[in-house]
Amino acid sequence: MELLDKLVLPQSSEHIQLLHYLLMLIFFLFIPFIGMIFGGTALSLYFKRKAGKTSNNNYSRFAKEIIEIVTINKSSGVILGIVPLLSVVMMYAQILHTADMTTVGLILFAFLLTSVSMVLIYSYRYSLGFKGIFDALDTTASQNEVIADDFNKLSKGTTRMSLRAGKWGLLFLFIALWIFIAAVTQVFYVDEWGKHNIFYLLFSYKALLRFLYMILASFTVTGVVILFAFFYWEGGRKFINEEYKQLVCKTGVNLALYSALIIPLIAAADLIILPAEILSLSVFAAAITGILLLFLAYNYLYVLTKNGNLKYSGHAFFAIIFALMAFIVKDQLAMSNSTKTHAAVLNYDFELFLSELRGEGLEGEIVNAAEIFTTRCSSCHKYEEKLVGPPYNDVLPKYEGKENQLIAFIRNPVKVDPAYPPMPNPGLKPNEAEAIAIYLLEEYKKR
């Protein structure tokens, strides 16, 4: 967005790398929390509806306790849901500063929708608490004919308000997560930056695949959080009856197990469709670690159902959380690889910015670009032949009209094509890199 671009200052390569690490830490908090908020709200509404149809007190109690567990308290929605996403907006604005893409604007819109959804979901949580109070007072109120009618109206109004707030909150959060995932997915495909409209970004198979993963991860996290909160945390809870205990256990295990079963396939498919140039050993290692942790969680959940040993609920919880963290690491490493060239551009802008602050000129002495080409470049590159590096005729076309990107790449080379070794840094000054970039593009156009 132009407004955020004006607010953001150019960043060095070191600062941009630090932002990637900070993003990783923020996602460690934000993704599990927002996932269990989404999954927990959906599950609570489901059991609230079942309670209305069957008048089963276990269902209504479970609906209330689910939403209380996943929302934690009234401060958590702000600290773990809203503030981290606002931080993500600012960090992406710096990492993608001047990039021709809509990612930052979409994440900002997702932030606004998430804020609204949090207000509605927490309203749903507290209105369920009021409904419980009304139900407890129902017998006393019915003995007084004067207040019975008003009491019933207020009770029914609270029920309607809670359901509406929950449904609308869930819908807004669903849309926010969809937009957020589509925006982040766009970053991995550098060749498509700025080429597609929002409709394409939302409905591309790449975004939909990752969004499906987010939904399944949300229900998986919700399932293990229920098991952890009811059976592991502080020694487990006391249950009012065995039927309610079985309902909680069965729901948590089935939700976590069946949702997590498909995640390894989605993770593998995501690796296949990611551009080859952003994949690395560390990306594969993080993905494989996440998949192995998922299989470990399957084992704990299976043992829990077969042996009824509830201590494994804690083991399953930690296995799922660490698996999710491994996938977050994988995504951040891939994103760091995909933005390396743009980071080099930003680093060059940063050097220009510092030079202007110091009052230094970057032009200085006259630079002989042809001599630099002969002494620094010609030993590895030719225009039409492949030497150590690729022919210029193959790589320069993508830099036409993008002179700053070529300058930035020369100043801070990154590995792009797996078929060639990484280009060593030629150690050129900013004005020398600019001169050789102009020279290369002009010579290419003559041929």
Side-chain angles (χ1 to χ4, degrees), residues 58 238-246:
N58 285 338
K238 293 181 179 180
F239 291 88
I240 55 176
N241 56 62
E242 186 63 25
E243 182 185 354
Y244 184 64
K245 180 179 179 180
Q246 292 301 320

Side-chain angles (χ1 to χ4, degrees), residues 192-204:
E192 299 181 11
W193 286 9
K195 294 182 180 179
H196 302 295
N197 56 35
I198 294 176
F199 182 83
Y200 174 87
L201 296 176
L202 290 175
F203 290 96
S204 69

Side-chain angles (χ1 to χ4, degrees), residues 58 62 67-68 75 86 97 130 143 152 161 178 203 205 219 233 259 286 293 316 337 411 442:
N58 285 338
F62 194 29
I67 198 66
E68 288 176 348
S75 301
L86 181 59
H97 179 48
F130 290 136
Q143 295 174 357
N152 289 332
M161 183 188 73
W178 186 4
F203 290 96
Y205 70 91
F219 285 119
W233 181 252
S259 298
L293 286 168
N337 293 338
R411 289 273 292 157
E442 288 178 349

Side-chain angles (χ1 to χ4, degrees), residues 17 43 48 61 94 106 119 130 141 196 200 252 271 282 349 364 371 387 389 393 447:
Q17 191 60 46
L43 194 63
K48 181 65 178 173
R61 179 184 179 89
Q94 293 184 75
L106 289 175
V119 173
F130 290 136
H196 302 295
Y200 174 87
L271 282 175
S282 56
D349 291 340
E371 182 180 346
L387 292 179
N393 287 352
R447 295 172 185 269

Side-chain angles (χ1 to χ4, degrees), residues 112-368:
L112 297 175
L113 286 176
T114 301
S115 300
V116 174
S117 72
M118 286 295 175
V119 173
L120 292 169
I121 288 171
Y122 276 83
S123 297
Y124 167 68
R125 170 196 167 147
Y126 291 112
S127 63
L128 281 187
F130 290 136
K131 181 63 171 59
I133 295 174
F134 287 133
D135 290 341
L137 296 175
D138 186 43
T139 303
T140 304
S142 62
Q143 295 174 357
N144 190 328
E145 296 181 359
V146 177
I147 65 172
D149 186 54
D150 290 339
F151 183 87
N152 289 332
K153 288 181 180 178
L154 187 58
S155 178
K156 291 178 181 179
T158 302
T159 302
R160 287 194 298 269
M161 183 188 73
S162 67
L163 289 174
R164 288 175 182 173
K167 289 176 181 178
W168 281 105
L170 184 64
L171 177 62
F172 280 128
L173 188 55
F174 178 86
I175 297 172
L177 289 176
W178 186 4
I179 293 173
F180 175 76
I181 294 299
V184 172
T185 302
Q186 183 185 9
V187 181
F188 297 113
Y189 301 90
V190 182
D191 292 340
E192 299 181 11
W193 286 9
K195 294 182 180 179
H196 302 295
N197 56 35
I198 294 176
F199 182 83
Y200 174 87
L201 296 176
L202 290 175
F203 290 96
S204 69
Y205 70 91
K206 303 164 188 173
L208 291 176
L209 182 69
R210 294 176 65 83
F211 182 53
L212 176 60
Y213 161 70
M214 182 66 201
I215 297 300
L216 292 173
S218 297
F219 285 119
T220 302
V221 169
T222 301
V224 293
V225 164
I226 289 172
L227 295 173
F228 180 83
F230 277 95
F231 301 112
Y232 189 85
W233 181 252
E234 295 182 343
R237 297 189 179 190
K238 293 181 179 180
F239 291 88
I240 55 176
N241 56 62
E242 186 63 25
E243 182 185 354
Y244 184 64
K245 180 179 179 180
Q246 292 301 320
L247 171 66
V248 174
C249 184
K250 182 179 179 180
T251 301
V253 170
N254 289 345
L255 187 65
L257 184 59
Y258 294 135
S259 298
L261 280 175
I262 312 174
I263 292 179
L265 296 177
I266 296 177
D270 183 57
L271 282 175
I272 291 171
I273 64 177
L274 282 175
E277 59 268 19
I278 73 171
L279 298 177
S280 61
L281 288 177
S282 56
V283 172
F284 282 109
I288 292 171
T289 301
I291 292 173
L292 292 176
L293 286 168
L294 280 177
F295 280 106
L296 182 62
Y298 299 156
N299 181 64
Y300 288 137
L301 292 170
Y302 177 77
V303 172
L304 196 155
T305 56
K306 288 299 180 182
N307 299 339
N309 193 337
L310 298 176
K311 73 176 183 180
Y312 287 107
S313 58
H315 296 63
F317 170 80
F318 288 113
I320 291 295
I321 293 299
F322 285 121
L324 190 58
M325 288 182 173
F327 288 125
I328 290 171
V329 170
K330 183 266 292 184
D331 281 348
Q332 289 306 306
L333 291 173
M335 177 186 164
S336 178
N337 293 338
S338 69
T339 56
K340 277 184 177 179
T341 300
H342 186 70
V345 174
L346 295 179
N347 187 68
Y348 177 72
D349 291 340
F350 175 74
E351 292 175 346
L352 291 176
F353 177 72
L354 284 184
S355 297
E356 290 176 1
L357 288 179
R358 295 168 182 161
E360 299 173 355
L362 290 179
E363 298 182 1
E365 72 279 2
I366 298 174
V367 177
N368 189 332

Side-chain angles (χ1 to χ4, degrees), residues 26 29 35 46 54 82 90 126 140 189 269 306 336 405 408 436:
I26 289 174
L29 298 174
Y46 170 75
T54 62
I82 296 176
M90 300 308 299
Y126 291 112
T140 304
Y189 301 90
K306 288 299 180 182
S336 178
Q405 287 192 17
I436 192 63

